[in-house]
Amino acid sequence: MDTTVKSKTGSAKAADMRVKPINLALQGGGAHGAYAWGVLDHLIEDGRFSFDGVSATSAGAMNATVLAQGWLEGGPDGARAALAAFWKGVADTAAVFSPYKPLPWDKAMGVHTLENSPFFMMMDVATRIFSPYQLNPLNFNPLRDLLERHIDFDRLRRESPIRLFLCATNVETGKVRLFTEKDISPEAVQASACLPFLFQAVEIEGEYYWDGGYVGNPAIYPLIYHCDSQDVVIVHLNPIVRRGCPRTAAEILNRLNEVSFNSSLMREMRAIAFATSLIERGKVAAGEMKCMHIHSIRADDTMAQYGVSSKLNADWDFLQQLRDAGRREAQRWTAVNFDAVGERSSVDIRGEFL
């Protein structure tokens, strides 16, 4: 149900308007998650949306968890502040621990891919020869400390104001595992973001997990079955369309990364399009299927500028650049599509995903 806007971050124009509940679907993409930070920052600041549920993977899982924590502590303003503090923490942590660093002259030229960085080339070769169990036998991961500094997991499990569904891949079965706000933990967030070439699999209750992007980036179905809102806003990090045929080895690997991490989402969109068609043609009884409104915030032209290596670039200047790009796209999307929320899909599912 719509509620009156009360956020201090909402605009004066929005102050007397009604809030529209939406679900969020946040893709993973390493440092590119700062783009989604910018999208969230604007949606919160706009003041006309509330968040029913969030399905998220990898960096999206971090954004979702920090969003819920910040909202729990301080409402909309607290959520914006928590996201900003977390991503600054990511940059500060990377400055100390990450071997993936842009060269000073690359930063000066605005180049954010890392293919020419000697650190990146060294680690890239190493991860193709040695596993994380050999390169990092003590399983050191600064992400855990960062998460525990910013998130009170005990309180969030008890009082989360937002339904959470964090996607991870079960290593042994290949099935998706959804961690909800009721069983969220540092390990659950780490599992959702566990790239198998960089980190040891995360063990939870005797099961082993890798990054959720392989089977759900993110999963849409929990938002259909477990949330009240019919609207799902997908925040894309991986370009669906990249013009031109890749020729170099780096370009081919980059495009394969994008295609593979979009594949599960594309399949779910096809299923939603099929269900929507059945509903529209009266092939199912009223109320038997839930009609979903799908919305998409994406900027393929912007994100296609950055290769897969830039997902490891947590330089603060780069993260702020991505945040600003996300804010701009969210502003554009809101201006064009706000009226569609609660009424219809604002994306042509068949045209975009079939």
Side-chain angles (χ1 to χ4, degrees):
M1 182 180 296
D2 291 350
T3 56
T4 304
V5 174
K6 295 181 180 179
S7 169
K8 291 184 286 185
T9 60
S11 66
K13 182 177 68 173
D16 297 324
M17 298 187 68
R18 307 296 289 177
V19 171
K20 293 187 176 184
I22 60 174
N23 299 306
L24 294 169
L26 306 180
Q27 277 199 323
H32 292 187
Y35 175 88
W37 163 31
V39 171
L40 294 173
D41 190 66
H42 172 71
L43 294 180
I44 299 168
E45 182 184 46
D46 181 273
R48 293 178 291 172
F49 300 100
S50 64
F51 305 126
D52 185 2
V54 184
S55 181
T57 296
S58 196
M62 298 180 206
N63 277 326
T65 307
V66 174
L67 169 70
Q69 176 71 38
W71 206 289
L72 176 61
E73 291 183 340
D77 296 315
R80 294 184 68 199
L83 285 163
F86 176 78
W87 281 100
K88 185 60 169 67
V90 169
D92 292 343
T93 300
V96 175
F97 296 108
S98 176
Y100 304 103
K101 302 177 190 296
L103 299 170
W105 49 85
D106 288 334
K107 290 178 61 177
M109 296 172 62
V111 177
H112 299 286
T113 54
L114 302 175
E115 280 85 354
N116 295 324
S117 164
F119 294 105
F120 177 82
M121 290 188 286
M122 178 183 67
M123 292 300 296
D124 187 49
V125 171
T127 57
R128 295 173 190 275
I129 300 173
F130 303 103
S131 80
Y133 298 86
Q134 296 166 305
L135 290 173
N136 184 12
L138 297 179
N139 202 21
F140 173 72
N141 188 343
L143 173 62
R144 182 186 178 94
D145 290 339
L146 179 66
L147 290 169
E148 291 182 333
R149 285 200 306 271
H150 288 267
I151 298 167
D152 183 343
F153 285 96
D154 289 337
R155 186 183 178 197
L156 198 59
R157 281 192 293 270
R158 297 192 307 269
E159 305 174 33
S160 176
I162 300 170
R163 296 182 179 97
L164 298 177
F165 308 94
L166 309 187
C167 305
T169 302
N170 186 300
V171 176
E172 295 179 296
T173 67
K175 295 179 180 180
V176 63
R177 166 70 189 270
L178 294 175
F179 296 96
T180 72
E181 71 280 4
K182 300 300 183 184
D183 53 8
I184 196 170
S185 66
E187 293 80 11
V189 182
Q190 285 180 273
S192 184
C194 179
L195 291 171
F197 294 108
L198 296 179
F199 303 108
Q200 296 183 24
V202 177
E203 182 180 0
I204 301 175
E205 298 175 348
E207 301 284 345
Y208 294 90
Y209 297 97
W210 282 338
D211 192 294
Y214 297 108
V215 290
N217 196 21
I220 305 299
Y221 72 88
L223 302 176
I224 299 173
Y225 296 132
H226 302 297
C227 295
D228 298 324
S229 174
Q230 291 177 262
D231 291 81
V232 177
V233 178
I234 305 169
V235 182
H236 298 261
L237 298 185
N238 301 287
I240 293 176
V241 176
R242 180 183 286 272
R243 300 298 178 187
C245 181
R247 302 287 184 180
T248 69
E251 290 172 344
I252 292 169
L253 288 171
N254 180 61
R255 188 56 182 154
L256 281 173
N257 178 275
E258 292 170 348
V259 171
S260 63
F261 278 104
N262 276 328
S263 61
S264 59
L265 178 63
M266 300 284 277
R267 287 194 297 271
E268 282 201 274
M269 288 297 101
R270 294 186 186 106
I272 290 172
F274 177 69
T276 301
S277 175
L278 293 177
I279 294 170
E280 291 175 345
R281 291 184 290 138
K283 297 297 185 180
V284 295
E288 187 174 333
M289 284 187 175
K290 186 176 180 180
C291 184
M292 301 301 295
H293 308 142
I294 303 300
H295 313 277
S296 179
I297 299 181
R298 58 186 261 222
D300 284 3
D301 290 343
T302 297
M303 302 308 289
Q305 299 175 48
Y306 310 119
V308 64
S309 67
S310 66
K311 294 180 178 181
L312 299 172
N313 180 5
D315 178 77
W316 180 235
D317 290 339
F318 182 47
L319 297 182
Q320 290 181 99
Q321 179 177 318
L322 288 169
R323 175 204 61 196
D324 294 344
R327 278 187 56 86
R328 287 192 299 270
E329 186 60 27
Q331 289 168 348
R332 186 208 64 78
W333 178 85
T334 303
V336 174
N337 298 300
F338 179 78
D339 290 342
V341 177
E343 301 294 332
R344 63 186 185 278
S345 293
S346 61
V347 64
D348 179 359
I349 302 175
R350 294 179 181 85
E352 295 292 332
F353 299 104
L354 271 66

